[in-house]
Amino acid sequence: MMIRIFPYGAIQFMAFDQYKKVIKKHLGISGHVHRLMAGSMAGITAVICTYPLDMVRVRLAFQVKGEHKYMGIIHAFKMIYTKEGGFSGFYRGLMPTIVGMAPYAGFSFFTFGTLKSIGLAQAPNLLGRPSLDNPDVLVLKTHINLLCGGIAGAIAQTISYPLDVTRRRMQLGAVLPDSEKCLTMVQTLKYVYQQHGIRRGLYRGLSLNYIRCIPSQAVAFTTYELMKQFLRLN
């Protein structure tokens, strides 16, 4: 997870800033819409670049004591490559991941950016403070950053969760006994819905995922805002 999250986070935030500039310059779109578009594109870019690491992470995490098929990260890479069709084996489930990541990342950046701009516009003295690197620029206070990041994560996760369930099932592939029924995104969505319904199927584990996702997004956005100040990017 740690090996994956470093390049994933770096690529996502870097791509978001670059896509924002490109969209504003070449398409003439700004404001809330360009946050949504840039966030979606940044999420997709980060996923494509780091997907093999995510595949290996899921396989290793699924193993239980006494049934270890993979002995470690390198061994998992070798086994997937040799047993599951070469490089294509590392990208099993990529399409639902991309389809799910577009709204997840898009609404994360959109919600956080919107809450930030509204907060600083409506209550600058209460919610904001001067930036460490540029006193003329207002930024959110740290605890408000955490709150906005957490809300953004919760909203984005709720919207995209069924596709996250689909991605995990497809990534596990041959490990599951019903893998032949989960070969494509549409097949997997239909199968999960027919077997378990919406609440116990497509949204199963959502409350537990909130416990991981909300603090994760809160810390990610807060760290991003603080690093911009430390690196004098404001």
Side-chain angles (χ1 to χ4, degrees), residues 28-59:
I29 300 172
S30 60
H32 302 314
V33 177
H34 91 308
R35 279 195 210 108
L36 185 64
M37 292 175 63
S40 297
M41 292 163 67
I44 290 170
T45 303
V47 158
I48 292 172
C49 292
T50 61
Y51 195 77
L53 289 166
D54 193 41
M55 169 70 79
V56 170
R57 177 188 68 84
V58 170
R59 293 292 181 91

Side-chain angles (χ1 to χ4, degrees), residues 112-128:
F112 179 80
T114 302
L115 290 174
K116 178 183 174 183
S117 60
I118 291 173
L120 291 176
Q122 299 298 321
N125 296 326
L126 180 64
L127 305 179

